[in-house]
Amino acid sequence: MRKIVSVVGVLSLVMGLACTSAAEPFDETALYKAAKEERQVNIYSYSSRVFKFGKTFEAKYPGIKVNGFDMDSPEIVTKVLAEQAAKNYVADVIFLKDPSTVVNELYNKKLVFNYVPSDLENLIPAHYKEPLLVHHASVDAIIYNNEKMAAPPIKSLWDMTMKEWKGRVIFPDPQKLSEYIEVLATIVQHSDEMAADYKRVFGQPIKLSPGVKNAGYEWILRLLNNDAIILGSTNDIAKAVGLSDQAQPPVGFTAYSRLRDKEKNPKLKFEIMLDVQPAMGVSTDVIVAIVNKASHPNAAKLLIRWMMGDEKGGQGYEPYFVFGNFPVRKDVSAPEGSKNLSDLNLWKSDPDYVWKHGQEVLDFWVAHLK
Amino acid sequence: MAAPIIEVRNLTKVFGTVVAVDNVSFSMEEKDFLVLLGPSGCGKTTVLRMIAGLEIPTAGEIYLKGRLVYSDEKGIFVPAREREVGLVFQSYALWPHMTVSENIAFGLKVKGMKAAAIEEKTAAITAYMQLDGLRNRYPQEMSGGQQQRVALARMLVSQPDIFLMDEPLSNLDAKLRLEMRAEIKNLHIQTGATTVYVTHDQVEGQTMASQVAVINNGILEQLSSPKTIYKRPANLFVADFIGSPAINLIEGATGAIDTEEGTTVSLERDFWKAATLYKNIQSGRDIIAAIRPENIAVVPEEGFNTIPATVKTVLPSGSETVLRVNQGDLTLSVLMTREVELFPGQHINLYLPPEHLLLFDKATGQLLNLPEKTN
Amino acid sequence: MPPSAARYALTPALGIRKRRDIKMFSRAKTYFRKPHIVISLILLVILLFIVIVPFGKMVKDSFVWQFADARLSRNSHPGELTLFHWKRVFAGPLTQNILIRPLYNSISTSLGVSVFAMVIGAFLAWLVARTDLPFKKIVASVAVLPYVIPSYIHALAWLNLFKNDRIGGVAGVFQYLTGISPPDWLSYGYLPIVATLSLHYFPFTFLLVSAALSSIDSRLEESGEILGASRTYILRRITFPLILPALLSSFILTFSRVLGTFGTPYFLGTPVRYYTLSTQIYSNIINRIPSVGYILAFVLIAISSTVIFVNQRMIGKGKSFVTIGGKGFRIKDMPLGSLRYPFLIAIIALFCAAVVLPFTLILWQTFTLYPDDYSIRHLTLLFWTGHANTAFAEGEAGILRNPAIIGAAWNSIKLALTASLLAGLLGIFIGYAVVKGRNTRLAFSVEQLSFLPYLVPGIAFGALYLALFSHRIGPLPALYGTFFLIVLVCVAKNLPFTGRAGITSMLQIGNELEEAAETLGARWSMRFRKIILPLSLQGAISGFILVFITVMRELSLIILLVTPETRTLTTMTFRYQEQGYTQFSSAISVLIIFIVVCGEAVSKKLEKRSPANR
């Protein structure tokens, strides 16, 4: 029986894929009918907010249960690889950061498939649909304590390597939080801009340390040598920077979306620094995709469609309609008070570059830890 | 003739490179009480454990009640639980988590006996062993002697035809040991079970055994009645091991004395010689003579077979007195069963009765053969 | 005899051969007659699957290019042999920072923790087992609590006391009271790691040593006293040598355990860039460079093995003490005299530091409306009992009303119970096989193999199981996604605990106790059930408790193996921490502690009722 279901599943998945390319109208009723027979859908999510859109989905589509399961992005990849090897297809949908790994380790090996709801084809820019659908963009940026400091204290990434910030910059540990490998790699990728900005700040061209390849690496080296503090949790960084009543609070890199921590904890007083040269942060694509031979393909599609929300944001997208997460739909803008992604001076992480150079950058970081 | 109850043939046990038991053979008839006697570590316990089936021999054969229970040649090994022997351990091996009754009843439960029958038998044996008031005690709540009784009761209740006992009394104090000795001997008489009893205490061995096997370094040195072991030890080891105070050993050489019956042999040493009952042994041979302390007499005058000596110490102990005397560089023990009025430094004469002088070959340590009639 | 002799004479060659065959056959037959041999062989088959195969994979993978290695080298060819990973660890530009410095840190913290934990645990055990210390029973029953409290809570408590403002946020109580900012060495790195982990792990030593002490007949000590030996002389020359095996095995257990510990060293070490080898293993495995992680794990295994080897040299082979004979024994208390109350006060202080303080902290956290706001005004029960779908906590229900948490709690309990029961039972069998087969190669391999998983850090072991059991191996179907696989990995990882406990308790049961039953005609199954099992139960229960606690708190070992249906409480805490809801994660920790304490109380009850405890 199970076999038949999965065969049907595969068939409908293949048909589904065919449909998207044909850009047919999205038939919600038919999909719901098919999904209802599957009764449930399993989603591996990098974000615990899976439970929120899961709940609203269950309310909207009674009869389909969402089994959300949250873990770190690298763990999701490891698990999906194992499940595919075991032919034990637990996950239907994966929802995670680290696009370079997802594309190279899963998509290129045909272990996950792209699904773009047909009615959204024209509402999402091409680079957010290929090779895999992007749910939203997530930004990592620098925060400061706005209780103690009236204005953002940092104007350039290079400021953080100066003496006055010695021992007062916090950077997330890329050895533990893989998304910060992306941040570092992206800075290295943009080494020319880093070099130019160095010249702007210091008035002279950068002199690279022996053995250092470019200005991006040089920045990492100087940050480390400036007694940067390494912490293993972005939540702790938000607290370290943002807790009130500090004499000399540090600044730190963290997830932009940490801003919502302030709602949970009124003692947190921090803000994002928007005017940092050459870039105020790095944006990463958060990917949502259907797993190869998923047991509940129709429910998976319906769930992805729900997650993508509507033109006002919508209930399904609502958990991500916050500061620091940026919608990919052309018809949805960032929440009120937040700038749109395109208005921010950001670097977008390049999955291909991160795949090829991320480890090299991490190695550089590890080798220069003192 | 019926088959022996226990027969051991060429039994050998090797642990790694150590030969613990070396080619031991013996057999036992019904109602025999065999004591395996020897210093600690001599292999006597290993022999017992091999009979019990707790140790797998390296070679040889064991028959119990005519049944072959071990043979390396034939590839037979019957495990302990199928041998139906009763074993009492040195440590008693009472189960600390069971009461006296439970300890005793265990063997019956194993046999699948009905509860009522178990109860009846347990009650009978506890009464017999005078353990009535202790039935619900745990072993650690009892004295050593009581624990010993429980261990015996546990063995007895299964009514085995063969008792194996591994130094059962060594953990008891002297007085209790005497009591239990008598009790075990009594048990043996009442049950008629063939018993193998391991001890390193030669007095215990002598008093209880019908047969004594002296074992040293894994080798069966002598197997005889306690009397023979005592009077005619097969070799110097046995002679020296048995008896307290230890037998007197006198190094010397043989000499010839011609008599009517032929040539008798004398013990010759530095300045004296003593006649023996030995005959026709080559003169001038190196020997070691042995005489038990109680066989030496103190006599007032010099005479036949006497030697002069000086009293070194007098050790009276109740009914007995042990004298330590010097004769040249030789020190001898003399055991006297009457009171003596002797003091250290006193010169005395010792009489060595020829019939009690045993001669051993110095090179081999073996007893030289005495003429038949003296036996 | 003559006829057969004649036959041999006629066909000598055949005869001799036949005789030799019979001999070999009979040897084999008697060999398998010994139950401990059969048990050893069965154990070896089990260990083949849960230890040898994973270990073999570890070795193999370290020499093979993995797919994700494409990130490391342009020359990678997935599936082909390479020395790349070994070179990367031992002779690359990273060697200093992924191997040498972390290795030095790992060894020095582990040594520090093991020494302190051993001293505290052994001394406490001696006070409880052998002296007239007041409130001994209570002390004994709370002694295991520091291990029940997650070690990161100890770390958190330390920071709350001694945090300086290096890493921003709010400084600790010390600075608040004195106005002096504590130096970095007091706030982070070596000292705090050793201090907190010692407080966390001393119950290991306590459990092992008090078990050893309580089974030593104090007449052994008294006889020394009769001979006129002084008290310290008796302690040194009689008591100490008798508990030496327990002391040394607790040293090994603590040392190896700390070597593989990731959380606390990471948490307290990172702010001053104090990394240990376990950090590197974790990071490489999570980053899908398992080959490097495995090689670093080999380094850990090598260190632990060396320590164990030295240890065994110190104990001396076969120098073990049978302390439960068939005779009863008794224990006499040594009077402490005027030191009774000073010792009690010291113990109370110890428990304040190791239990009361961290537990109060974590409990308080569950009632705080805002994280890190400990004021009484802002206390609430909402994180425990709040309803779902309110504006509060983004619509999350309090953990006692949250079906996902309750489901996970049941999973945790189910997992901890089955794993500890299975591991406990296997431990008794291991103890039996090892002790009865003393000095044989078979017993030795069972002992060593069963200990091996302990030396592999949890995350590496989990990764191995994930990689291995997602395929079918021989008769075993692919186990990934099953509850059984998680039980299996927990059993394998904790076997060393129960195996050690099994060996220790079996060592104390004299051989004659089983032999007595054997001569009375009892089959092995009966001897096991009626004699060995009841007598080893007390020792086994302490192993069982340790495993139960460990599994209840297990995270890194199982994180890669759980699926939505099989997730446990610990895997849920992660989510709340990430979300910034310390209250929820603390509440789950409190729930875990509560379950563990209940579990301990129940097993203590069982222990009391166990017949061996009379």
Side-chain angles (χ1 to χ4, degrees):
Chain A
M1 183 60 202
R2 207 192 148 112
K3 208 164 185 181
I4 296 170
V5 168
S6 68
V7 168
V8 170
V10 172
L11 280 177
S12 56
L13 184 67
V14 172
M15 277 155 63
L17 286 167
C19 285
T20 50
S21 51
E24 273 177 27
F26 183 74
D27 187 349
E28 187 188 335
T29 330
L31 193 56
Y32 177 36
K33 204 173 152 224
K36 216 167 154 181
E37 279 172 19
E38 296 164 0
R39 311 177 92 104
Q40 56 179 332
V41 55
N42 295 327
I43 172 168
Y44 288 1
S45 160
Y46 84 103
S47 146
S48 53
R49 285 170 277 177
V50 60
F51 300 101
K52 286 190 204 157
F53 64 71
K55 247 180 233 161
T56 54
F57 178 88
E58 283 170 0
K60 165 88 183 183
Y61 301 107
I64 310 172
K65 197 173 174 309
V66 179
N67 301 311
F69 195 33
D70 56 339
M71 51 197 146
D72 279 334
S73 297
E75 280 163 25
I76 296 177
V77 175
T78 308
K79 275 222 171 80
V80 171
L81 284 170
E83 287 172 11
Q84 293 289 321
K87 298 189 168 54
N88 180 355
Y89 307 103
V90 180
D92 299 307
V93 179
I94 56 168
F95 178 40
L96 73 176
K97 286 183 167 184
D98 202 358
S100 76
T101 309
V102 179
V103 170
N104 284 287
E105 293 223 42
L106 298 179
Y107 177 77
N108 287 352
K109 292 197 230 162
K110 298 201 165 33
L111 302 180
V112 298
F113 290 100
N114 190 18
Y115 171 69
V116 182
S118 52
D119 61 328
L120 298 179
E121 275 293 337
N122 300 322
L123 295 173
I124 296 173
H127 64 277
Y128 284 137
K129 295 190 295 202
E130 295 294 331
L132 292 168
L133 177 65
V134 175
H135 178 261
H136 66 271
S138 152
V139 169
D140 293 294
I142 312 163
I143 55 169
Y144 71 103
N145 186 307
N146 64 343
E147 178 190 61
K148 184 77 189 168
M149 300 168 189
I154 301 257
K155 295 287 173 218
S156 160
L157 287 177
W158 290 105
D159 290 353
M160 301 163 101
T161 67
M162 286 184 194
K163 213 171 187 174
E164 58 173 307
W165 288 101
K166 191 174 171 72
R168 290 181 59 213
V169 177
I170 306 183
F171 201 89
D173 189 351
Q175 292 193 75
K176 183 157 180 259
L177 305 167
S178 64
E179 55 262 48
Y180 290 91
I181 301 175
E182 285 180 62
V183 172
L184 292 173
T186 308
I187 290 172
V188 170
Q189 188 184 10
H190 293 266
S191 59
D192 290 347
E193 288 156 74
M194 289 298 286
D197 192 59
Y198 183 92
K199 200 171 174 203
R200 181 186 67 79
V201 175
F202 295 98
Q204 52 188 340
I206 188 164
K207 260 183 77 181
L208 298 178
S209 306
V212 174
K213 272 197 239 164
N214 60 41
Y217 279 120
E218 185 69 27
W219 180 82
I220 295 174
L221 179 64
R222 293 195 189 181
L223 183 75
L224 284 174
N225 288 344
N226 207 29
D227 195 17
I229 292 151
I230 300 161
L231 289 184
S233 141
T234 55
N235 177 39
D236 285 347
I237 296 179
K239 279 202 265 181
V241 173
L243 275 178
S244 61
D245 295 327
Q246 293 197 57
Q248 215 188 12
V251 295
F253 257 94
T254 193
Y256 197 139
S257 57
R258 279 281 157 222
L259 278 175
R260 69 202 159 92
D261 286 5
K262 296 202 287 183
E263 293 161 26
K264 288 169 232 164
N265 189 349
K267 280 177 124 186
L268 284 178
K269 317 271 186 201
F270 67 87
E271 255 319 318
I272 301 283
M273 293 191 256
L274 295 171
D275 298 312
V276 180
Q277 292 300 321
M280 51 92 48
V282 173
S283 84
T284 307
D285 294 339
V286 175
I287 283 178
V288 60
I290 297 181
V291 175
N292 172 40
K293 298 196 178 162
S295 316
H296 315 102
N298 293 303
K301 285 182 197 168
L302 197 60
L303 179 64
I304 291 179
R305 178 62 193 86
W306 178 247
M307 288 165 69
M308 295 309 290
D310 58 30
E311 66 281 0
K312 293 189 201 99
Q315 261 194 311
Y317 184 75
E318 198 187 3
Y320 299 90
F321 199 65
V322 295
F323 284 2
N325 291 154
F326 298 90
V328 295
R329 287 175 66 139
K330 292 179 201 163
D331 55 340
V332 180
S333 51
E336 219 179 299
S338 165
K339 292 195 174 182
N340 282 321
L341 195 59
S342 53
D343 300 332
L344 293 172
N345 176 26
L346 281 171
W347 287 325
K348 186 179 179 307
S349 87
D350 170 355
D352 193 44
Y353 187 87
V354 173
W355 178 253
K356 288 188 178 132
H357 299 279
Q359 190 60 44
E360 195 182 311
V361 174
L362 181 62
D363 283 359
F364 182 86
W365 168 279
V366 171
H368 292 88
L369 280 173
K370 259 197 250 44
Chain B
M1 196 178 101
I5 299 296
I6 298 177
E7 187 176 5
V8 166
R9 287 187 197 157
N10 307 101
L11 195 61
T12 299
K13 175 71 186 180
V14 181
F15 290 110
T17 56
V18 180
V19 182
V21 174
D22 193 353
N23 207 19
V24 166
S25 304
F26 60 82
S27 76
M28 292 173 69
E29 305 299 327
E30 209 175 327
K31 293 182 185 172
D32 268 356
F33 193 116
L34 174 70
V35 167
L36 301 180
L37 188 61
S40 41
C42 70
K44 56 193 189 301
T45 296
T46 310
V47 172
L48 190 83
R49 289 171 56 81
M50 288 192 285
I51 297 171
L54 296 173
E55 206 80 67
I56 300 175
T58 310
E61 289 185 341
I62 301 171
Y63 293 85
L64 296 180
K65 292 187 272 180
R67 171 189 182 202
L68 182 60
V69 293
Y70 175 76
S71 164
D72 71 313
E73 291 282 303
K74 298 187 181 127
I76 289 172
F77 175 76
V78 175
R81 65 184 161 83
E82 290 163 18
R83 292 195 184 183
E84 293 173 349
V85 295
L87 179 57
V88 176
F89 293 84
Q90 181 176 10
S91 66
Y92 318 142
L94 299 179
W95 300 302
H97 60 299
M98 297 186 191
T99 60
V100 168
S101 299
E102 286 165 347
N103 264 284
I104 294 172
F106 185 86
L108 303 176
K109 273 191 196 146
V110 167
K111 292 205 175 94
M113 205 176 268
K114 291 217 169 69
I118 292 177
E119 174 55 34
E120 193 186 316
K121 284 200 142 206
T122 311
I125 201 81
T126 39
Y128 179 73
M129 292 304 289
Q130 300 155 38
L131 292 163
D132 272 335
L134 307 169
R135 293 188 57 175
N136 293 318
R137 293 261 186 103
Y138 286 90
Q140 49 274 45
E141 298 164 350
M142 303 193 300
S143 73
Q146 290 167 332
Q147 292 186 29
Q148 176 63 267
R149 283 172 197 279
V150 178
L152 284 169
R154 185 175 68 181
M155 177 192 76
L156 287 171
V157 78
S158 298
Q159 294 173 311
D161 295 327
I162 297 172
F163 291 174
L164 305 176
M165 302 192 186
D166 185 7
E167 308 219 19
L169 307 181
S170 63
N171 285 321
L172 299 177
D173 59 47
K175 188 163 170 277
L176 208 52
R177 203 177 303 172
L178 281 178
E179 258 172 49
M180 289 304 294
R181 230 185 249 171
E183 201 156 328
I184 289 177
K185 198 153 185 181
N186 197 24
L187 267 180
H188 174 243
I189 292 165
Q190 290 188 9
T191 57
T194 308
T195 304
V196 182
Y197 185 106
V198 164
T199 182
H200 64 270
D201 180 337
Q202 43 113 356
V203 179
E204 194 169 298
Q206 298 273 40
T207 49
M208 304 188 74
S210 62
Q211 294 277 293
V212 174
V214 180
I215 297 178
N216 183 36
N217 283 330
I219 295 168
L220 179 57
E221 301 277 1
Q222 187 173 12
L223 174 66
S224 305
S225 69
K227 198 176 135 198
T228 311
I229 292 267
Y230 190 75
K231 292 205 160 157
R232 294 278 179 269
N235 53 42
L236 278 173
F237 174 81
V238 178
D240 191 39
F241 186 72
I242 304 289
S244 171
I247 200 163
N248 294 300
L249 298 177
I250 308 163
E251 271 188 52
T254 51
I257 302 168
D258 289 327
T259 61
E260 286 163 19
E261 289 127 331
T263 310
T264 48
V265 175
S266 66
L267 160 68
E268 297 195 338
R269 217 189 120 81
D270 306 344
F271 303 108
W272 55 269
K273 63 167 90 175
T276 69
L277 294 187
Y278 285 84
K279 287 184 194 298
N280 299 326
I281 292 169
Q282 192 194 345
S283 205
R285 185 169 167 186
D286 282 340
I287 49 139
I288 293 176
I291 185 162
R292 297 246 171 237
E294 65 270 31
N295 292 333
I296 301 178
V298 177
V299 289
E301 302 281 322
E302 272 184 58
F304 171 68
N305 260 11
T306 63
I307 54 172
T310 314
V311 177
K312 196 179 159 204
T313 40
V314 181
L315 305 162
S317 67
S319 60
E320 297 176 337
T321 304
V322 175
L323 290 183
R324 302 282 290 164
V325 300
N326 286 342
Q327 208 293 313
D329 60 344
L330 201 65
T331 304
L332 300 174
S333 305
V334 179
L335 181 71
M336 310 189 67
T337 49
R338 56 188 166 81
E339 285 192 29
V340 286
E341 299 278 329
L342 292 170
F343 52 89
Q346 193 176 349
H347 295 285
I348 53 168
N349 292 306
L350 300 177
Y351 169 59
L352 309 180
E355 67 271 25
H356 290 303
L357 268 172
L358 300 172
L359 299 186
F360 295 87
D361 184 273
K362 193 184 173 188
T364 63
Q366 295 301 314
L367 183 69
L368 297 179
N369 281 332
L370 268 175
E372 267 314 300
K373 70 168 191 179
T374 57
N375 273 344
Chain C
M1 240 11 214
S4 60
R7 207 176 68 217
Y8 287 136
L10 281 172
T11 52
L14 179 72
I16 287 165
R17 226 175 111 186
K18 225 173 166 178
R19 278 170 63 150
R20 199 187 296 142
D21 284 354
I22 289 172
K23 257 189 174 166
M24 271 171 60
F25 176 71
S26 77
R27 290 263 158 81
K29 225 168 79 179
T30 45
Y31 189 69
F32 288 113
R33 265 269 156 69
K34 299 179 185 167
H36 69 88
I37 301 276
V38 179
I39 290 168
S40 293
L41 292 173
I42 295 170
L43 284 172
L44 277 183
V45 173
I46 296 173
L47 289 169
L48 173 76
F49 281 103
I50 66 176
V51 180
I52 303 174
V53 171
F55 195 73
K57 171 154 183 79
M58 217 168 140
V59 176
K60 189 190 128 213
D61 280 6
S62 74
F63 289 108
V64 175
W65 284 113
Q66 309 292 313
F67 179 81
D69 288 342
R71 298 169 300 165
L72 293 168
S73 167
R74 306 261 173 279
N75 305 322
S76 75
H77 303 282
E80 286 180 23
L81 286 177
T82 177
L83 283 174
F84 175 83
H85 307 110
W86 288 88
K87 283 191 193 143
R88 183 174 162 90
V89 172
F90 287 99
L94 296 181
T95 301
Q96 182 70 18
N97 275 354
I98 65 172
L99 178 69
I100 296 175
R101 288 207 307 154
L103 180 61
Y104 175 79
N105 292 345
S106 286
I107 293 178
S108 53
T109 46
S110 299
L111 270 182
V113 173
S114 337
V115 169
F116 275 110
M118 200 169 78
V119 170
I120 300 174
F123 190 61
L124 195 63
W126 178 75
L127 283 176
V128 167
R130 274 297 196 267
T131 68
D132 61 347
L133 184 86
F135 308 112
K136 277 191 336 187
K137 282 231 166 98
I138 299 174
V139 173
S141 56
V142 296
V144 73
L145 287 180
Y147 183 62
V148 172
I149 292 179
S151 70
Y152 84 86
I153 304 291
H154 287 116
L156 206 64
W158 183 275
L159 281 189
N160 271 288
L161 285 178
F162 296 112
K163 186 168 173 288
N164 63 17
D165 43 21
R166 171 175 169 82
I167 59 169
V170 181
V173 173
F174 181 86
Q175 184 169 348
Y176 178 79
L177 292 178
T178 62
I180 305 163
S181 176
D184 278 353
W185 58 261
L186 182 60
S187 303
Y188 321 100
Y190 182 76
L191 177 81
I193 293 174
V194 169
T196 52
L197 288 181
S198 300
L199 285 183
H200 182 68
Y201 283 119
F202 80 78
F204 274 23
T205 314
F206 176 82
L207 285 179
L208 282 166
V209 174
S210 45
L213 275 174
S214 64
S215 61
I216 294 172
D217 192 333
S218 64
R219 273 181 294 199
L220 293 173
E221 292 164 343
E222 277 168 38
S223 53
E225 216 167 328
I226 291 161
L227 292 170
S230 75
R231 231 182 250 179
T232 49
Y233 187 84
I234 291 171
L235 265 184
R236 201 156 44 86
R237 299 306 299 269
I238 299 176
T239 315
F240 183 72
L242 284 172
I243 60 163
L244 190 66
L247 266 184
L248 291 179
S249 58
S250 64
F251 183 88
I252 295 174
L253 285 178
T254 315
F255 183 86
S256 317
R257 179 81 184 195
V258 175
L259 269 189
T261 299
F262 168 70
T264 299
Y266 182 85
F267 186 58
L268 289 172
T270 326
V272 286
R273 301 189 193 169
Y274 187 90
Y275 290 112
T276 59
L277 219 47
S278 54
T279 315
Q280 293 304 328
I281 293 169
Y282 183 89
S283 144
N284 275 290
I285 285 172
I286 286 302
N287 202 12
R288 279 182 323 288
I289 319 176
S291 312
V292 169
Y294 295 158
I295 293 170
L296 294 172
F298 287 138
V299 176
L300 285 191
I301 294 169
I303 304 166
S304 298
S305 309
T306 315
V307 171
I308 292 168
F309 179 75
V310 172
N311 247 314
Q312 277 170 347
R313 270 291 157 87
M314 281 169 76
I315 306 182
K317 266 244 158 115
K319 194 172 168 189
S320 60
F321 309 95
V322 175
T323 45
I324 304 182
K327 290 176 284 174
F329 65 94
R330 64 211 169 91
I331 284 166
K332 209 183 89 182
D333 290 345
M334 182 186 272
L336 287 173
S338 58
L339 287 173
R340 277 182 88 193
Y341 285 93
F343 275 138
L344 185 65
I345 289 168
I347 290 170
I348 292 171
L350 178 72
F351 281 100
C352 280
V355 181
V356 180
L357 190 78
F359 186 72
T360 313
L361 177 75
I362 188 181
L363 189 65
W364 195 287
Q365 272 182 345
T366 67
F367 298 123
T368 56
L369 187 54
Y370 308 117
D372 303 299
D373 177 0
Y374 296 101
S375 58
I376 305 216
R377 288 179 294 135
H378 289 149
L379 293 187
T380 172
L381 267 175
L382 286 173
F383 290 96
W384 284 99
T385 57
H387 283 276
N389 300 320
T390 59
F392 173 78
E394 301 179 61
E396 286 275 337
I399 66 158
L400 297 181
R401 284 188 201 276
N402 192 327
I405 301 274
I406 291 163
W410 281 122
N411 278 343
S412 283
I413 293 171
K414 233 166 52 183
L415 177 65
L417 269 181
T418 32
S420 47
L421 279 176
L422 268 178
L425 197 64
L426 273 178
I428 293 177
F429 281 116
I430 289 173
Y432 185 83
V434 168
V435 173
K436 300 285 156 169
R438 244 172 177 218
N439 300 329
T440 64
R441 208 168 297 160
L442 190 64
F444 183 75
S445 35
V446 167
E447 185 177 6
Q448 300 298 311
L449 281 175
S450 66
F451 197 74
L452 192 59
Y454 193 74
L455 309 179
V456 184
I459 185 78
F461 209 63
L464 279 171
Y465 268 57
L466 178 69
L468 268 175
F469 293 101
S470 55
H471 307 270
R472 133 190 220 111
I473 330 177
L476 281 181
L479 291 173
Y480 172 81
T482 61
F483 184 69
F484 179 69
L485 179 60
I486 302 170
V487 171
L488 202 63
V489 78
C490 290
V491 168
K493 189 78 174 64
N494 289 296
L495 218 45
F497 276 141
T498 55
R500 286 263 136 173
I503 292 170
T504 317
S505 53
M506 212 57 76
L507 272 177
Q508 291 165 347
I509 301 173
N511 241 335
E512 298 98 24
L513 294 184
E514 189 195 346
E515 289 173 352
E518 195 179 352
T519 58
L520 289 172
R523 295 180 157 277
W524 188 79
S525 58
M526 179 146 186
R527 302 196 304 261
F528 185 78
R529 265 185 307 121
K530 297 283 180 177
I531 313 285
I532 297 160
L533 193 64
L535 287 176
S536 58
L537 216 52
Q538 188 168 10
I541 282 176
S542 66
F544 169 88
I545 294 175
L546 266 187
V547 177
F548 184 83
I549 299 172
T550 312
V551 173
M552 274 307 290
R553 299 227 330 266
E554 194 58 78
L555 179 61
S556 62
L557 179 67
I558 57 174
I559 186 122
L560 293 174
L561 299 172
V562 289
T563 54
E565 275 84 59
T566 56
R567 68 176 146 203
T568 61
L569 280 181
T570 45
T571 58
M572 305 286 284
T573 57
F574 158 78
R575 148 189 175 198
Y576 290 112
Q577 255 165 359
E578 183 235 16
Q579 243 179 324
Y581 279 124
T582 348
Q583 301 97 321
F584 277 133
S585 62
S586 296
I588 295 177
S589 293
V590 171
L591 186 63
I592 293 174
I593 293 171
F594 176 74
I595 294 171
V596 167
V597 170
C598 288
E600 205 206 333
V602 169
S603 49
K604 275 267 154 70
K605 270 259 164 65
L606 288 177
E607 200 177 351
K608 263 198 201 120
R609 263 201 261 149
S610 105
N613 204 19
R614 289 206 170 100

